[in-house]
Amino acid sequence: MLRRWSSLFLAAFTLVSVTACADTAAVTVSRGVVAAGSGMVVSAYPHASEAGADVLRAGGNAVDAAIATGLALAVTHPTAGNIGGGGFMVIRFPDGTSTAIDFREKAPLRAHPEMFLGEDGEYSYQIHHRSHLAVGVPGTVAGFALAHERYGGGEWEALVEPSVALARDGFEVSERLARSLAGRLEAFLDYPATHAQFSKDGEPYQPGEILVQSDLAATLERIRDQGRDGFYTGTTARLLAEEMVRGGGWITEEDLARYQAREREPVRGTYRGYDIISMPPPSSGGTALVQMLNVLEGYDVAAMGAGSPEYAHHLIESMRRAFRDRAMFLADPDFADVPVARLTSKEYANELRPTIQTDAASVSDPGDVETAASWESMETTHYSVVDGDGMAVSVTYTLEGGYGSYITVPGAGFLLNNEMGDFNGRPGLTAENGLIGTEANLARPEQRMLSSMTPTIVARDGELVAVIGSPGGRTIINTVLQLVVNLVDFGQSPEGVVAAKRLHHQWLPDAVRIEEGFMSEEDAAVLTAMGHEVNWSRGQGIAHCIFVDGATGTIVGVPDPRDSDGSAAGY
Ligand code: DON
């Protein structure tokens, strides 16, 4: 058991509880910060956090709770929660060892590097991102099944049942979900099964109304009763393959049967005495995170001060270099040699640091590699879990775009991802608005597409410190970077670490995007004078995190205030 919390630590932040039960051991669910002694889940929807915390309270471990939470999000948070997508899980065990589960989608067997070209032979954004060919072979159910088989403690059926109930009996639509669904309703008209599932006979759901998803409930029942086979074989697989044939996609029942999640060694680094445990390729997240932290370690960041032009400049220059290397080297390690050890070494950071001028911006040079110019949305989701034994689980998973491909499998009730869009568009393609032209991340049979998702765990002296992560495409890596710096260099409270404003630079386009409030306009003008192109953003990331007070063992769940539905559930 973790030790009890101290009043001193609690004084650092505000506690809010919306549904505390009379039973003192009951789960507290809150859209604000929750402190607890025995277990915690923080996710993008209250029902999902509660489902996970209930599993913990019933004796399940953090992996069990992560599975229950992930499946509940597939029902309650359809924009990103999923069984038709994929993602990553980083696990740290109470003895300090760690592992990672890779359930990233794969390209189907028919895939090839030129599959996103139109009939005219030109690259087609539409095919790449919004078609049946944009759908990767889903990995979520296989990932959860693998995590459960190796590290779970509870009965699989009990972990799936809460999501079955949420889909079958329905749940209250929040204001955020109502707004989100209303905004997509017209686009869903082209996808009849999606339009039917997410509207009331064509009318938008209002906040507080009950959303029932019967086909999804039936699919989840098959997963509950048959485990991964309930998704990758039989009825579910047949329905998915039939939809592919109908829409010109390439995923077959064979692709589904062959899909395997992988257990991988996490990327590990250190930052000023803290241990960083994060996701290895096929995510670029952990590698770029450790690379940037190594560069920043050579500067007195605390003395620069949060929000100062000096700090922003060094942050940007670290990001510029890591994102250049990301574009050049990162891909599925089963298909490419990725130099993770070199990129994450202190020696490499020592080579990079002298290339950073203290008072002038570098220039991003595309050379023969360019990268996408688009800014990223928040249509992924991250959640964090800690159990009473100190086992920690960090999960980021996604459908890629909001509601993925928009394709709901008719009769099976779940949305399919459009993750194939994370492969490079075609060999050698470079464009002004930019796409990466490197070989390593091209679509090939059964290859996984490069990701930026960065589920991360921070420890120190053998003790768990934090479970962190975020959605936001490429901004994810920079959001997680700043969570670590806020914690380690600026010594912010748990609430402050998450609430603090962030910035993002991704090498190309050569511009920084600064969340309003990160710094004053006068300080931003100093950056401009150094040669940085400055843009402002209204929000970056949604980091649903957990922190553990080393002195007392108190577990503090901190939903990101940028998300009105983000919720902590602890007991
Ligand atoms: O794997 C990735 O990095 C992306 N598919 C995640 C997408 C995301 O965060 C939503 N924003 N574009």
Side-chain angles (χ1 to χ4, degrees):
M1 274 293 174
L2 291 162
R3 282 156 290 170
R4 294 176 64 82
W5 40 266
S6 73
S7 54
L8 206 144
F9 185 62
L10 288 182
F13 49 84
T14 330
L15 294 175
V16 190
S17 308
V18 290
T19 54
C21 304
D23 176 359
T24 50
V27 169
T28 296
V29 186
S30 169
R31 286 187 160 86
V33 175
V34 171
S38 302
M40 183 70 66
V41 180
V42 186
S43 83
Y45 217 86
H47 303 80
S49 299
E50 189 172 17
D54 283 346
V55 164
L56 292 179
R57 199 169 61 122
N61 67 21
V63 167
D64 295 326
I67 293 165
T69 302
L71 293 172
L73 284 170
V75 181
T76 58
H77 188 49
T79 175
N82 70 80
I83 53 173
F88 304 112
M89 176 185 291
V90 175
I91 307 169
R92 183 179 182 275
F93 301 99
D95 68 359
T97 59
S98 54
T99 192
I101 306 289
D102 166 7
F103 52 99
R104 182 69 161 166
E105 298 91 328
K106 283 183 158 200
L109 288 164
R110 266 185 74 181
H112 58 81
E114 300 190 341
M115 66 182 284
F116 308 118
L117 305 188
E119 281 174 7
D120 57 2
E122 295 297 316
Y123 165 74
S124 162
Y125 179 90
Q126 181 74 17
I127 296 172
H128 194 194
H129 294 276
R130 196 150 291 296
S131 76
H132 283 66
L133 290 184
V135 182
V137 182
T140 297
V141 175
F144 288 174
L146 180 66
H148 180 258
E149 182 190 309
R150 296 200 180 159
Y151 303 113
E155 291 291 318
W156 172 259
E157 292 78 5
L159 309 182
V160 187
E161 187 54 34
S163 61
V164 172
L166 284 165
R168 182 192 57 218
D169 305 336
F171 66 95
E172 263 186 34
V173 171
S174 69
E175 275 184 34
R176 185 193 69 187
L177 179 57
R179 206 169 40 245
S180 168
L181 289 174
R184 306 283 175 136
L185 216 50
E186 202 180 317
F188 287 167
L189 280 171
D190 290 339
Y191 306 85
T194 306
H195 195 260
Q197 180 150 332
F198 294 114
S199 70
K200 288 176 308 175
D201 300 323
E203 292 302 312
Y205 277 97
Q206 301 302 318
E209 291 183 332
I210 302 297
L211 172 58
V212 171
Q213 299 171 81
S214 306
D215 289 345
L216 178 57
T219 299
L220 288 165
E221 281 171 2
R222 288 191 289 275
I223 294 168
R224 178 194 63 197
D225 299 340
Q226 302 162 40
R228 66 158 276 154
D229 285 352
F231 186 88
Y232 291 95
T233 64
T235 305
T236 315
R238 177 177 53 74
L239 291 169
L240 197 163
E242 283 173 4
E243 174 57 22
M244 285 288 128
V245 171
R246 199 197 60 72
W250 290 350
I251 297 175
T252 62
E253 289 188 59
E254 185 188 358
D255 282 305
L256 291 162
R258 287 171 66 96
Y259 182 88
Q260 295 293 337
R262 289 282 308 265
E263 183 166 6
R264 299 189 189 274
E265 273 297 304
V267 165
R268 296 189 183 86
T270 60
Y271 186 60
R272 304 192 204 280
Y274 286 78
D275 298 315
I276 309 296
I277 305 153
S278 191
M279 197 63 212
S283 181
S284 57
T287 307
L289 171 67
V290 171
Q291 181 179 340
M292 292 189 286
L293 287 170
N294 284 341
V295 172
L296 289 174
E297 202 173 39
Y299 301 108
D300 191 349
V301 170
M304 291 176 184
S308 69
E310 196 185 2
Y311 168 55
H313 168 70
H314 287 85
L315 205 48
I316 293 165
E317 295 304 331
S318 307
M319 292 170 179
R320 185 196 309 280
R321 285 153 181 78
F323 275 79
R324 177 201 57 202
D325 291 346
R326 174 194 185 279
M328 292 177 73
F329 300 118
L330 271 291
D332 183 347
D334 295 341
F335 287 76
D337 281 332
V338 186
V340 175
R342 164 141 176 86
L343 293 173
T344 58
S345 69
K346 300 285 184 195
E347 293 72 28
Y348 184 53
N350 292 342
E351 290 170 31
L352 289 179
R353 228 173 281 115
T355 69
I356 298 175
Q357 292 177 263
T358 53
D359 55 359
S362 308
V363 175
S364 295
D365 178 2
D368 55 358
V369 178
E370 296 199 16
T371 190
S374 58
W375 297 103
E376 310 280 358
S377 63
M378 302 302 157
E379 313 292 11
T380 293
T381 193
H382 173 82
Y383 60 96
S384 303
V385 183
V386 173
D387 70 19
D389 292 328
M391 185 194 272
V393 178
S394 189
V395 179
T396 314
Y397 75 149
T398 189
L399 291 165
E400 174 22 37
Y403 304 94
S405 61
Y406 288 8
I407 302 162
T408 295
V409 176
F414 64 91
L415 282 155
L416 291 168
N417 68 84
N418 61 339
E419 215 79 55
M420 295 290 282
D422 280 358
F423 280 119
N424 299 345
R426 73 163 165 77
L429 173 65
T430 55
E432 267 310 302
N433 67 347
L435 286 155
I436 302 172
T438 47
E439 284 286 315
N441 187 40
L442 290 168
R444 297 184 183 86
E446 298 195 290
Q447 183 161 339
R448 291 177 156 97
M449 56 295 284
L450 181 63
S451 173
S452 298
M453 291 188 281
T454 316
T456 298
I457 296 174
V458 182
R460 190 186 170 110
D461 300 331
E463 300 288 333
L464 177 65
V465 171
V467 185
I468 59 179
S470 176
R474 265 167 268 197
T475 69
I476 291 171
I477 315 173
N478 290 335
T479 293
V480 174
L481 171 70
Q482 287 161 90
L483 293 170
V484 175
V485 172
N486 293 342
L487 180 76
V488 174
D489 293 290
F490 301 137
Q492 289 169 341
S493 68
E495 210 175 1
V497 165
V498 174
K501 304 298 181 186
R502 306 163 182 146
L503 65 74
H504 175 70
H505 192 290
Q506 59 177 44
W507 180 50
L508 290 171
D510 190 351
V512 57
R513 192 126 145 147
I514 303 177
E515 202 177 10
E516 285 169 10
F518 178 94
M519 66 197 326
S520 66
E521 297 214 0
E522 294 73 38
D523 283 341
V526 177
L527 282 183
T528 308
M530 288 182 187
H532 295 288
E533 183 184 327
V534 173
N535 298 305
W536 295 97
S537 76
R538 303 285 299 271
Q540 179 179 320
I542 298 173
H544 294 318
C545 301
I546 297 176
F547 300 84
V548 179
D549 176 7
T552 64
T554 305
I555 312 168
V556 182
V558 186
D560 194 319
R562 293 164 183 80
D563 175 7
S564 57
D565 283 343
S567 301
Y571 79 104

